[in-house]
Amino acid sequence: HAGRASASASAFANASACSFSSRAATAASAASAASAAPFVSSPALARALTNVRFSPGRSSRKFLSTAVASGYNSQVTTVLGGQWGDEGKGKLVDILALKYDMVARFNGGANAGHTLVVDGKKFAFHLLPCGMLYEDKTNIIGNGVVVHIPTLLKELQSLDDANVDYDGRLKISDRAHLVLDAHQIVDGMREKSMGSGAIGTTKKGIGPTYSSKATRNGLRVGDLFEEGFETKYHALVGNLQEMYDFEYDASEELNRLQNYKEVIGDMVIDTVHYVNSSISAGKTVLAEGANAALLDLDFGTYPYVTSSPTTAGGICTGLGIPPTKIDTAIGVVKAYTTRVGAGPFPTELHDAVGEEMQKVGHEYGTTTGRPRRCGWLDVPVVQYGHMINNYASLNITKLDVLSGLDELKIGVSYSIGGEKLPYGMMPS
């Protein structure tokens, strides 16, 4: 489909310039830094995002109050990335967590990353929900998450070192799937075999684990505590070795997994029932998204995506919460765009401005340390994410990174063959 690919590539190049004075950009940055409320600070951004409601002319939905739109007055709220990840979701979740009884992860695994600094102490969470830093919050690792127990224990150790009490506050779904070290080996082998067509995964074993889940020979956390786990484990590892031909000390990992039962046993429960019972009892839930809309397995820039649902539907499948119980979805969007790994990036910059964004914005991955690709704000991406997630509000982050630039550009539309794509349409 070379012709189609070429047309898509030209569609990705349509960016429109918007001029600012440095003073105006700095003022917008100051306003953004002063408040965590999810409002657009820049008039130019406001104009560019005028139609940020899907089919606004046919919608009967009224604008929400600030309390609802911000998530401050909702029972079930989710914070979702609106681009390709790394938008600053963790910071907003950390703020909103004060208002909620529990914070829940519903997708992904240790391929995601939130860096939080509290009282001068830095915490890098890849599996743990942000609510772990509040000693009155319950934290859920839902059934849609894939769990690498050594990584989880390392993060819990960081809490121990900081004297954070988490006893009884972490609940791990017995339906969540286990990431084996063998999955991580396979991830690296698959990525290497793709050569120049590599996706750019984190090599944390996420994709192979979800593959095992889909082929129905994966291991759940709850399997650890059942008879027959050893048989299931050897069957899975044997299958992976047969397909990918690698040497592996399965007995060593099996012994470690058996020992982990003592450590996490009290944390493993039926989270689907627990979360829904809590909601029925009036408890509040903040669902913490990992990755972002354009990395969704179905809706993202396939195949350059992650292996799980990253959009609003993932809350239902990854936590077992009915869609009618989700009150508020908040989209988090940078004032520019970044992406890690390979894949299309319409507004990417390959010049000094892009390098400046990377430097000033400290754009290096929490999980891998890889430098992030940087470019201008892509409004069609934001609109597409809104169409799928129906954001009640947007939280615009990192406006201050753009301070000092004489000119800002914003991608405002895509076109293929000279025809402008309608609102919300994203080339597959």
Side-chain angles (χ1 to χ4, degrees), residues 306-325:
T306 192
S307 304
S308 63
T310 62
T311 46
I315 303 161
C316 304
T317 58
L319 287 172
I321 299 177
T324 52
K325 292 186 178 180

Side-chain angles (χ1 to χ4, degrees), residues 119-402:
D119 296 331
K121 297 177 182 178
K122 185 177 180 180
F123 298 89
F125 289 166
H126 303 277
L127 276 168
L128 292 177
C130 293
M132 294 297 293
L133 297 178
Y134 294 100
E135 297 190 1
D136 60 338
K137 310 300 178 186
T138 300
N139 294 264
I140 308 294
I141 294 179
N143 58 278
V145 180
V146 291
V147 182
H148 184 241
I149 298 181
T151 299
L152 178 69
L153 296 182
K154 183 178 180 180
E155 293 180 25
L156 290 175
Q157 184 61 52
S158 72
L159 295 178
D160 290 331
D161 294 342
N163 296 316
V164 176
D165 182 13
Y166 56 85
D167 185 38
R169 294 197 299 112
L170 178 61
K171 314 292 184 184
I172 305 171
S173 174
D174 54 4
R175 291 177 169 86
H177 276 248
L178 290 170
V179 179
L180 304 182
D181 291 349
H183 284 125
Q184 296 185 336
I185 293 173
V186 168
D187 203 0
M189 293 177 67
R190 288 172 59 172
E191 189 74 359
K192 184 177 180 181
S193 69
M194 297 176 74
S196 59
I199 293 172
T201 74
T202 58
K203 301 178 184 178
K204 299 295 184 181
I206 308 304
T209 303
Y210 279 114
S211 295
S212 295
K213 179 178 180 178
T215 55
R216 299 178 297 281
N217 65 340
L219 295 170
R220 288 171 154 185
V221 173
D223 290 333
L224 268 173
F225 305 90
E226 301 294 334
E227 292 184 13
F229 175 76
E230 183 174 346
T231 301
K232 289 182 178 180
Y233 171 82
H234 283 299
L236 173 56
V237 172
N239 177 257
L240 293 172
Q241 288 180 308
E242 183 179 353
M243 288 192 294
Y244 295 98
D245 190 23
F246 62 95
E247 295 297 321
Y248 188 66
D249 190 350
S251 296
E252 187 276 334
E253 183 178 39
L254 179 61
N255 288 334
R256 280 192 286 117
L257 288 169
Q258 298 285 13
N259 291 333
Y260 292 151
K261 291 193 296 185
E262 299 292 328
V263 182
I264 68 171
D266 292 339
M267 304 175 189
V268 179
I269 66 167
D270 181 348
T271 58
V272 177
H273 183 268
Y274 180 85
V275 170
N276 279 283
S277 296
S278 298
I279 293 172
S280 296
K283 299 292 185 180
T284 54
V285 180
L286 180 60
E288 175 183 348
N291 311 121
L294 272 292
L295 292 175
D296 186 274
L297 182 59
D298 285 289
F299 304 115
T301 47
Y302 189 90
Y304 302 100
V305 295
T306 192
S307 304
S308 63
T310 62
T311 46
I315 303 161
C316 304
T317 58
L319 287 172
I321 299 177
T324 52
K325 292 186 178 180
I326 301 170
D327 301 309
T328 304
I330 300 174
V332 182
V333 175
K334 277 180 183 169
Y336 52 103
T337 309
T338 63
R339 152 159 230 178
V340 173
F345 188 165
T347 59
E348 184 172 13
L349 292 169
H350 300 281
D351 57 15
V353 176
E355 293 176 1
E356 183 72 6
M357 288 179 180
Q358 186 183 89
K359 178 182 176 182
V360 176
H362 304 287
E363 297 295 352
Y364 299 91
T366 301
T367 299
T368 63
R370 291 180 294 178
R372 297 171 185 146
R373 300 154 62 191
C374 298
W376 300 116
L377 177 67
D378 185 328
V379 172
V381 162
V382 179
Q383 293 172 332
Y384 177 64
H386 170 59
M387 182 181 70
I388 294 169
N389 293 315
N390 195 31
Y391 304 132
S393 58
L394 284 174
N395 185 327
I396 307 296
T397 64
K398 289 199 165 184
L399 271 166
D400 54 326
V401 174
L402 303 178

